[in-house]
Amino acid sequence: MEALAVRLSGLDSEAEGVVRIVMFYDTLMRRRVDLPALARASAGLAECVAGIRLHGTGRVIRVAPDGRQTSGPPPRASTTAPITLDDEEIGTVWLERPGPPNPLDEALLDRLAIAAATAVERYGPARTTMADPALVELAISSDSDEAARARALRLLGFAADLPVRVIAVRSQVPLDQVGGLVCPARPVKAAPLADVGAILATTVDPARFPAGVRAGIGAAETPDRSWQQARTALRFTTPREPVIGYDQLGALALLAETPQDAVRDNADVAAIARIAGNPEHLETLDAYCATASLRRAADLLHLHHSSVARRLDRTGKALGIELTEPTGLIRAKLALTAWRLLDD
């Protein structure tokens, strides 16, 4: 390989140089080299620093012509090319030539990008938590076909025979920290998607979510279905119950599918909306619905149970519901839950 590099450096014919570059990288790919070896070989061939970056993991490899890794902020790249796999850009390769680009630099980077994509597909990504949002979205989107979803999951580091659970998160804690806590035994990947964070994991420990996190956990089905379930479960979370698994919802999940106009028109939901401006009413109702007990609600509110009974009586009259009756409690709990889902 080194002898071929020497011969390439003395080429006079650009066309012949391109052919030799193709042969050079074909040899590397047949030898099944990894990304660091590709960077070293490319730097020696180009006689300048060569770099490889993967978007999904943030991994950067920069190698000098002498084969040693370089550190520090890279200078402006003289030539760049995208790494694409299955029509998706997964990274970038570049050269850091001090002077003007060499006529063969474009051909070299084109072949390096192809070889890098092959190495990524063969060896998979580094075991980091944060991932490229586009790759995560491809894995969990209901619009993705199964082949594209399988490729995305493979690039994210998930084995084909493992179920992947998806978590929808709203968090003041960085997503990588949340992912590392709830799935300490990797693989786990996380990415921000529009208004919510997504975490993909093979196992989830609901008890390990830190404070300041709202999370909905999808069931272990296909990633796209699990993501839909996770988004639904997230809508049901409250400060009192910040982490909810979709399988905990049961028939309550049907409320998320009810048209919002129908929910607003319901008399019990409209009554909840009327009392929502009164913190005492809403706080009392929330505690009572969560516990179904005057005494346990009093413990939550740090009040005497007789005080809670008086509050509950006033709240029930404002709602027009007899809250101490079993049917009234069911109506109030359903109405309160449905009201929270409005415009969520």
Side-chain angles (χ1 to χ4, degrees):
M1 186 168 64
E2 291 78 11
L4 178 57
V6 171
R7 292 200 301 273
L8 281 172
S9 66
L11 288 174
D12 294 325
S13 166
E14 186 173 328
E16 187 179 0
V18 171
V19 172
R20 296 286 183 87
I21 286 172
V22 171
M23 293 169 57
F24 180 79
Y25 281 101
D26 282 351
T27 300
L28 293 176
M29 286 189 285
R30 281 196 301 273
R31 293 180 180 179
R32 306 171 77 86
V33 300
D34 58 12
L35 291 177
L38 276 175
R40 285 194 300 271
S42 301
L45 178 60
E47 299 181 339
C48 68
V49 173
I52 300 173
R53 183 186 189 279
L54 299 182
H55 299 331
T57 63
R59 183 184 183 188
V60 176
I61 304 170
R62 293 174 62 231
V63 180
D66 62 5
R68 290 184 295 184
Q69 292 268 354
T70 63
S71 58
R76 184 182 182 89
S78 57
T79 318
T80 65
I83 305 171
T84 59
L85 184 62
D86 298 318
D87 298 322
E88 180 185 355
E89 183 176 327
I90 63 168
T92 307
V93 294
W94 69 89
L95 296 176
E96 299 172 16
R97 194 177 294 286
N102 185 293
L104 295 177
D105 283 356
E106 187 174 339
L108 186 153
L109 284 181
D110 180 63
R111 299 307 297 182
L112 172 56
I114 292 171
T118 302
V120 168
E121 189 167 29
R122 180 179 298 124
Y123 297 112
R127 291 170 69 82
T128 58
T129 299
M130 294 306 293
D132 179 12
L135 199 57
V136 170
E137 191 161 14
L138 185 64
I140 63 178
S141 172
S142 58
D143 296 329
S144 299
D145 60 59
E146 290 309 309
R149 191 186 326 283
R151 287 192 294 269
L153 289 170
R154 186 177 66 248
L155 289 173
L156 288 168
F158 292 100
D161 58 343
L162 288 177
V164 177
R165 302 188 75 175
V166 187
I167 310 166
V169 177
R170 288 197 175 96
S171 173
Q172 299 173 358
V173 181
L175 279 177
D176 57 340
Q177 293 183 27
V178 178
L181 285 170
V182 301
C183 185
R186 297 188 177 186
V188 57
K189 294 291 179 181
L193 298 181
D195 62 329
V196 69
I199 297 175
L200 283 69
T202 51
T203 60
V204 181
D205 185 348
R208 293 178 62 91
F209 281 95
V213 172
R214 295 277 193 97
I217 306 171
E221 299 179 11
T222 60
D224 57 324
R225 179 63 179 154
S226 187
W227 174 237
Q228 293 173 1
Q229 293 174 345
R231 292 294 300 264
T232 297
L234 180 63
R235 295 179 61 194
F236 284 84
T237 60
T238 67
R240 201 180 301 282
E241 195 172 7
V243 178
I244 292 179
Y246 182 82
D247 50 6
Q248 294 174 243
L249 294 175
L252 286 176
L254 296 173
L255 289 176
E257 301 176 17
T258 305
Q260 292 206 344
D261 286 344
V263 173
R264 287 192 183 89
D265 289 342
N266 180 269
D268 287 350
V269 176
I272 296 288
R274 287 195 302 271
I275 71 164
N278 186 317
E280 180 182 297
H281 282 326
L282 206 58
E283 184 182 45
T284 304
L285 184 64
D286 177 48
Y288 184 63
C289 286
T291 61
S293 163
L294 274 175
R295 292 188 178 275
R296 281 184 288 166
D299 290 339
L300 282 180
L301 297 171
H302 305 292
L303 295 171
H304 192 273
H305 66 87
S306 61
S307 298
V308 174
R310 288 192 294 272
R311 278 190 175 196
L312 202 62
D313 182 63
R314 290 195 295 268
T315 301
K317 288 177 178 176
L319 291 173
I321 299 174
E322 181 49 66
L323 295 175
T324 56
E325 294 293 330
T327 302
L329 177 59
I330 293 172
R331 284 175 56 188
K333 188 166 186 175
L334 285 174
L336 181 61
T337 302
W339 172 77
R340 284 175 171 151
L341 295 179
L342 288 173
D343 300 316
D344 187 67

